[in-house]
Amino acid sequence: MKIGMCMFLWTTSVSKKHGALLKDIKATGFDGVEIPVFVGEPDDYKRLGEILDRIGLERTAVSAMGDPTMNLISPDATTRKAGIDYMKWAIDCSAALGANRLSGPLHSTLGAFSGSGPTAAEKKRSIASQRAIGDHAGKKGVTIGLEALNRFECYLVNTMDDLSEHIDVIDRPHVKAMYDTFHANIEEADPIGAYTRNRRNVVHIHISENDRGVPGRGHIPWKETFAAIRKSGYDDWLTIESFGRSLKDLAAATKVWRDFAESPEAVYREGYRHIRDGWKKAA
């Protein structure tokens, strides 16, 4: 098992100016960080990867699509192509970074709603888009971890059962699922069962408290969660995802209107100990 920290708490564009923070994350004990991929070129991420190598941090990548002009499930072919092109770019940046995992709600436009549930036509278009993306990801050695989001952020896939069924139909080895404890807490009647039933497709896990604050301070059933993850044989990333108000656009997208912790340090230092100790106790 590896413990990661998503950089969303501070920025959507990590650079050398975050060097001191990255060194402290490493000193805390983290194995790696999750790097947002939203702007830049592959060469920029290659240079960032070199910085992380020197610090001794492994890395995964995360992204999202909030622009409706590149919607992967749109009836308009040009709009879908724009989404596929974005995903190919994000995959190329992830590969240059040295990340073999790119996760997030990479199935549809974040925050865009049709006013009804997903249609059969939308799912069919999603399958075609994801197959094209998966083929490119395979060539680059990157695995996509699609994320089921709660109903207030997307409508295509809200539960792990729906996501996993969709992934089975997509049928691409480099298109899999991510399990997020925050979203499962909202949408799943049985968050633990939602994970175990769909373990076959899970390649990445976000550790996120029910209020997006410090892991361990809320009401997520952590003892049972860690026990289920460990029992399932999962031995990969457990990455903390938390949000703050420092980035206005990201705060607006994630509906963050208040501080969830007294400091970012409390999130990653206490959160690290929470995962480390919870994993040991689940043995």
Side-chain angles (χ1 to χ4, degrees), residues 27-73:
T28 299
F30 284 88
D31 299 289
V33 287
E34 190 151 271
I35 301 296
V37 177
F38 287 94
V39 296
E41 300 299 331
D43 283 348
D44 299 321
Y45 290 91
K46 182 177 184 295
R47 286 189 289 270
L48 177 57
E50 291 167 353
I51 293 171
L52 296 176
D53 285 341
R54 289 194 292 271
I55 295 172
L57 286 168
E58 297 180 49
R59 75 285 330 220
T60 58
V62 63
S63 191
M65 291 177 286
D67 184 351
T69 66
M70 51 184 188
N71 189 348
L72 292 167
I73 63 173

Side-chain angles (χ1 to χ4, degrees), residues 149-168:
L149 258 60
N150 69 77
R151 75 194 80 171
F152 308 108
E153 296 182 40
C154 87
Y155 70 96
L156 185 69
V157 281
N158 300 132
T159 69
M160 288 300 295
D161 286 347
D162 285 346
L163 174 61
S164 202
E165 180 183 2
H166 194 50
I167 286 169
D168 287 342

Side-chain angles (χ1 to χ4, degrees), residues 173-222:
H174 290 270
V175 178
K176 294 295 182 180
M178 177 172 75
Y179 178 75
D180 185 297
T181 57
F182 170 82
H183 295 293
N185 176 69
I186 296 172
E187 292 296 336
E188 307 289 358
D190 175 12
I192 308 301
Y195 168 78
T196 56
R197 284 194 305 274
N198 299 293
R199 166 67 184 94
R200 68 189 183 279
N201 282 323
V202 175
V203 296
H204 196 57
I205 294 177
H206 269 176
I207 299 298
S208 189
E209 193 50 86
N210 66 281
D211 66 350
R212 290 292 202 190
V214 181
R217 291 188 183 180
H219 67 233
I220 298 291
W222 291 113

Side-chain angles (χ1 to χ4, degrees), residues 1-3 179 181 192 195-196 199 202 205 207 221-238 273-283:
M1 182 272 293
K2 293 182 283 191
I3 302 177
Y179 178 75
T181 57
I192 308 301
Y195 168 78
T196 56
R199 166 67 184 94
V202 175
I205 294 177
I207 299 298
W222 291 113
K223 179 180 178 181
E224 295 82 359
T225 298
F226 287 129
I229 294 170
R230 187 152 193 169
K231 185 178 180 181
S232 76
Y234 180 89
D235 193 28
D236 215 313
W237 288 99
L238 299 180
R273 293 192 296 270
H274 170 68
I275 296 175
R276 179 197 63 193
D277 295 345
W279 190 257
K280 286 181 180 178
K281 290 176 181 177

Side-chain angles (χ1 to χ4, degrees), residues 68 71-81 119 121-122 125 155:
N71 189 348
L72 292 167
I73 63 173
S74 170
D76 179 65
T78 301
T79 303
R80 293 197 305 276
K81 183 180 183 302
T119 65
E122 286 174 324
R125 291 192 289 267
Y155 70 96

